[in-house]
Amino acid sequence: MKKQFFNVPDSSGHFGQYGGRFVPETLMPALIELEEAYLNLKKDKTFLRKLKELQKDFIGRATPLYFAENLTQKIGGAKIYLKREDLCHTGAHKINNALAQALLAKKMGKTRVIAETGAGQHGVATATGAALAGLECDVYMGAEDVRRQSLNVFRMKLLGAKVIEVTLGSKTLKDAINEALRDWTTNVRNTHYVMGTAFGPHPYPMMVRNFQSVIGQEARRQILQKEKRLPDCLIACVGGGSNSIGLFHPFLKDNIKMIGVEAGGLGVKSGKHAARFAGGSLGVFQGCKSYLLQDDDGNVLGTHSVSAGLDYASVGPEHAYLRDMHKVEYTSVKDNEALKAFELLSRTEGIIPALESSHAIAQGIKTAKKLGNKSIIIINLSGRGDKDVQEVAKIKGISL
Amino acid sequence: MSRISKAFSHLHETGSKALIPYIMAGDPSLEATKKYISDLEAAGADIIELGVPFSDPLADGPTIQRASERALKHGTTLKKVLALVTEIRKTSEIPIILMTYYNLIFHYGVRTFVQDAVKAGVDGVIIPDLIPDEADELIVPARKYGLDTIFLLAPTSTKDRIAIATKAATGFIYYVSMTGITGSRLTTGKAMRDTLNSIRKDAGKPVAIGFGVSTPDEAAKVAVLADGVIVGSAIVKRIAEGKDIKKFVRSLKNAISKNRAVK
């Protein structure tokens, strides 16, 4: 029997045994309303035309598929292409989803959007979408992250958003999501929650995937144009998993090797990581069923990664499903490997990648070495590294 | 008939409303919780709602979040809370409901949890992040072993959602008085009264109102609309401040006992 990898989720949001809707009842009408509105918009030609126009003129799509010739030569294996999501407006793939959701919120008659953010990229993207659509915008951010990412906090404020510091719990991304969900539960009538990744309750994992699939659709077209054939391997980093599912999804019908890269932190054995597949187990967290880093009693564990965008205790349910189906392979890359790749790409190609994307680059280098020089790899360069420069300097003991 | 249904049916006969106080197990310790439960019973509580702490309580406001953090810090686990209920059952028959988040139960093993909970003497569960649509794994063993599954409804609930929750709920239905989290501010309006009337009439199951009830006055106000009143954050806050809860709970009970307008 041919497996229908691309025919998920089912009508209530299940990807096999993963996904679903694990939320307070108060939110159910809003999730149903959102799902209906989204499914209608998918057929709304005016909306789709508007979205396409803004993808082109506002975000700057299509982003290039760039042949990294220097890196390819330096590694001496497969041809490496980079999908340049770092060139998107606001500096990462996050805007693909945030802009579309802001337009959707406007269309639904909501006057306010809220979002969670870790490093601030999704917060900035949502603030940007809200500014364009003329919506009020509040962004929840852990106090710890506010301190680490002061530049992005100021960017959000410049864009007219309010940044709400979360001081409860571990004061990081997961606590920001808890607070955003609490806010949404309270203000559900006029507020839309712009979730930043392919996670949470249905329809978010499906909707965010579809808004991000523009990455893979373009990449597929571009590689066929340049190489007259499909690539042998796709590689992307996986936090919640939106940039990776965006790249992978349009290729699921093809027989291509795909690798999702999680944050290995200080190593899976150290316990300080965000490798949910290697170190986690099945759980229910923040709206859906998936792999989760949890203790023996089912409480959620703290995570660690040098990159804030991968530093999360669970992973998008479709990834768990694709792993079970043996369609995508998941691996992890440690902090120090990612930092090396960060520097290597900067020097060889003149591109400073985000620390998240640096995990994909590090894995790409390993894979390229193994594959022969007739092979082709596409790595999703999901964001630019400007936001990480201060952090990297700090790690290297350089004061700016 | 379950202890919960018996309690409601007894109250109904006497024209009274159920007072359902909530406390967090293990805050500040499990021994203290045991003492608090006996205080609550002595002060007139009809059913006890016992919170089991979870690392990410997304339906709770700051008061219960902090209680949860304290209880976790003291090593409170679902297993230990079940042992506590076993202990309490030696001396008390007051209905006990556990309120916690689904991952703790899912991780424990849903069927095993239901069996262990019933064996310990737990009468029902409230799981704020589990909607009936996702609850088959819980409902099937719960019916088999006799554990009430209490589902929630909210002012935002549509007719469809009300039908789904009332069908799946046993024991009673937990009506969230507002769109919000525990400990938010209470409002009662005509829309809420209409919804409540239709739930009570159509479902034929008791309804208790929670979220936002913090004073005897408010308890009295919502008691006339329902079969029971749940008070959580206001009690948890008193416990956190080291205050006596008996007098407060008695005042809540007195306030709702004066309101006997049962429809």
Side-chain angles (χ1 to χ4, degrees):
Chain A
M1 199 181 71
K2 194 168 180 278
K3 291 196 180 98
Q4 300 288 302
F5 306 113
F6 39 87
N7 209 9
V8 285
D10 67 13
S11 61
S12 47
H14 298 97
F15 301 84
Q17 64 169 320
Y18 309 103
R21 278 184 286 219
F22 295 85
V23 290
E25 183 64 43
T26 312
L27 289 179
M28 277 306 289
L31 290 171
I32 293 167
E33 178 196 5
L34 175 61
E35 186 187 359
E36 279 169 6
Y38 168 67
L39 293 176
N40 283 335
L41 278 190
K42 264 175 81 176
K43 294 177 286 188
D44 183 337
K45 290 209 173 93
T46 319
F47 178 83
L48 293 178
R49 203 178 312 124
K50 174 86 182 162
L51 180 61
K52 199 153 199 179
E53 194 184 295
L54 286 171
Q55 283 176 338
K56 177 169 169 279
D57 297 335
F58 188 73
I59 299 181
R61 305 204 71 90
T63 59
L65 183 71
Y66 168 71
F67 173 42
E69 200 172 355
N70 295 345
L71 183 66
T72 299
Q73 275 175 4
K74 176 134 193 150
I75 305 304
K79 274 179 100 165
I80 299 172
Y81 280 88
L82 302 176
K83 180 61 176 159
R84 298 290 308 274
E85 292 299 298
D86 61 318
L87 295 177
C88 288
H89 178 43
T90 72
H93 73 290
K94 290 288 182 192
I95 189 75
N96 299 330
N97 166 54
L99 175 69
Q101 281 199 48
L103 297 177
L104 175 61
K106 181 91 178 172
K107 184 95 186 171
M108 287 166 71
K110 306 284 179 182
T111 55
R112 173 176 179 256
V113 290
I114 52 171
E116 83 292 346
T117 197
Q121 289 306 102
H122 175 58
V124 168
T126 304
T128 302
L132 183 72
L135 298 165
E136 194 189 328
C137 177
D138 288 347
V139 179
Y140 286 92
M141 192 169 186
E144 193 57 28
D145 292 329
V146 167
R147 191 186 55 75
R148 287 191 292 212
Q149 298 287 340
S150 53
L151 207 64
N152 270 341
V153 172
F154 188 59
R155 283 171 83 194
M156 286 183 259
K157 287 180 182 164
L158 282 174
L159 291 159
K162 197 166 89 198
V163 178
I164 303 171
E165 241 181 273
V166 180
T167 54
L168 282 157
S170 64
K171 304 183 179 77
T172 60
L173 178 60
K174 81 177 174 83
D175 308 284
I177 294 177
N178 286 338
E179 274 308 294
L181 284 167
R182 289 177 186 122
D183 179 315
W184 199 30
T185 307
T186 308
N187 302 301
V188 59
R189 289 185 177 96
N190 72 346
T191 299
H192 171 66
Y193 178 18
V194 181
M195 183 160 262
T197 190
F199 192 75
H202 180 63
Y204 285 105
M206 169 185 79
M207 183 173 76
V208 176
R209 172 196 75 196
N210 292 348
F211 286 146
Q212 292 292 1
S213 287
V214 65
I215 302 172
Q217 285 156 7
E218 286 175 8
R220 202 169 186 284
R221 200 170 60 232
Q222 289 164 325
I223 198 73
L224 286 173
Q225 219 166 50
K226 286 177 196 278
E227 294 282 351
K228 313 283 178 261
R229 72 173 184 92
L230 290 172
D232 301 282
C233 182
L234 305 174
I235 298 175
C237 62
V238 184
S242 70
N243 89 80
S244 45
I245 203 72
L247 175 66
F248 296 164
H249 194 257
F251 289 92
L252 284 177
K253 289 181 193 175
D254 308 308
N255 190 24
I256 291 174
K257 186 182 172 75
M258 302 184 194
I259 305 176
V261 188
E262 298 186 282
L266 303 180
V268 175
K269 277 184 198 150
S270 74
K272 292 186 186 307
H273 62 87
R276 290 70 43 104
F277 288 124
S281 54
L282 198 56
V284 174
F285 185 53
Q286 293 183 332
C288 66
K289 195 181 280 180
S290 185
Y291 273 78
L292 174 66
L293 292 172
Q294 53 190 328
D295 67 15
D296 293 341
D297 298 304
N299 286 301
V300 179
L301 287 170
T303 51
H304 164 83
S305 170
V306 68
S307 90
L310 303 183
D311 202 352
Y312 184 62
S314 189
V315 59
E318 190 163 8
H319 287 288
Y321 173 73
L322 291 173
R323 179 173 177 265
D324 280 5
M325 296 289 120
H326 304 289
K327 193 64 198 167
V328 181
E329 217 178 275
Y330 293 86
T331 180
S332 64
V333 155
K334 287 194 263 186
D335 284 355
N336 57 4
E337 298 173 290
L339 285 164
K340 255 189 218 158
F342 176 90
E343 290 191 24
L344 181 68
L345 193 72
S346 302
R347 284 181 194 179
T348 53
E349 294 289 351
I351 298 171
I352 301 176
L355 280 174
E356 290 79 8
S357 323
S358 300
H359 286 71
I361 303 287
Q363 181 59 42
I365 292 166
K366 289 186 204 173
T367 307
K369 271 184 197 159
K370 274 191 227 151
L371 297 175
N373 56 16
K374 295 219 167 56
S375 303
I376 299 168
I377 294 179
I378 297 178
I379 302 173
N380 201 13
L381 187 57
S382 55
R384 65 174 185 231
D386 306 39
K387 68 179 175 60
D388 297 314
V389 172
Q390 268 179 325
E391 185 65 19
V392 172
K394 205 175 116 197
I395 291 166
K396 291 171 74 88
I398 299 164
S399 80
L400 300 174
Chain B
M1 198 187 265
S2 73
R3 279 194 198 94
I4 295 170
S5 298
K6 261 189 226 160
F8 275 108
S9 130
H10 176 72
L11 288 163
H12 193 74
E13 280 162 21
T14 57
S16 324
K17 305 299 173 81
L19 176 64
I20 311 175
Y22 169 101
I23 59 170
M24 174 62 72
D27 175 34
S29 70
L30 286 167
E31 296 78 58
T33 302
K34 193 179 163 195
K35 168 83 170 52
Y36 281 129
I37 288 175
S38 100
D39 286 353
L40 291 172
E41 190 174 1
D46 298 291
I47 296 172
I48 304 287
E49 190 184 332
L50 190 56
V52 183
F54 177 56
S55 54
D56 295 85
L58 61 81
D60 285 301
T63 303
I64 293 179
Q65 285 177 54
R66 286 197 192 94
S68 200
E69 280 180 10
R70 288 192 296 270
L72 282 175
K73 210 174 277 170
H74 300 148
T76 312
T77 63
L78 182 51
K79 244 179 217 149
K80 287 184 186 169
V81 175
L82 291 178
L84 173 70
V85 175
T86 307
E87 193 58 31
I88 290 166
R89 276 285 167 259
K90 289 178 183 164
T91 54
S92 169
E93 281 298 308
I94 192 162
I96 297 176
I97 300 164
L98 297 189
M99 166 153 171
T100 193
Y101 290 83
Y102 193 48
N103 195 54
L104 291 189
I105 291 170
F106 183 74
H107 191 76
Y108 191 103
V110 181
R111 177 170 289 269
T112 319
F113 164 76
V114 170
Q115 286 174 296
D116 289 359
V118 170
K119 212 168 113 193
V122 173
D123 301 291
V125 282
I126 298 172
I127 307 169
D129 62 344
L130 184 68
I131 56 170
D133 322 51
E134 296 283 355
D136 280 355
E137 203 177 350
L138 173 74
I139 289 173
V140 172
R143 294 292 173 279
K144 184 174 170 191
Y145 297 104
L147 186 70
D148 280 332
T149 51
I150 294 135
F151 287 101
L152 293 91
L153 281 170
T156 52
S157 297
T158 54
K159 275 212 167 79
D160 290 352
R161 297 307 305 166
I162 291 172
I164 291 170
T166 49
K167 188 165 169 264
T170 54
F172 65 94
I173 290 152
Y174 190 136
Y175 185 83
V176 176
S177 62
M178 74 206 76
T179 60
I181 51 181
T182 57
S184 313
R185 284 190 53 200
L186 177 77
T187 50
T188 54
K190 185 179 176 302
M192 175 172 158
R193 285 199 300 275
D194 290 348
T195 314
L196 280 166
N197 279 334
S198 91
I199 296 171
R200 291 171 77 198
K201 213 172 65 211
D202 301 344
K205 286 171 188 170
V207 176
I209 300 181
F211 285 38
V213 184
S214 59
T215 65
D217 271 2
E218 288 169 344
K221 233 186 257 171
V222 299
V224 295
L225 304 172
D227 306 287
V229 181
I230 300 160
V231 182
S233 300
I235 297 172
V236 171
K237 204 170 162 206
R238 278 185 166 69
I239 289 176
E241 290 163 354
K243 286 186 191 156
D244 178 63
I245 56 168
K246 257 190 184 161
K247 218 169 104 189
F248 178 61
V249 172
R250 198 167 289 130
S251 70
L252 291 169
K253 181 67 182 176
N254 287 337
I256 69 170
S257 301
K258 283 180 215 146
N259 290 278
R260 299 194 169 199
V262 188
K263 279 183 190 161

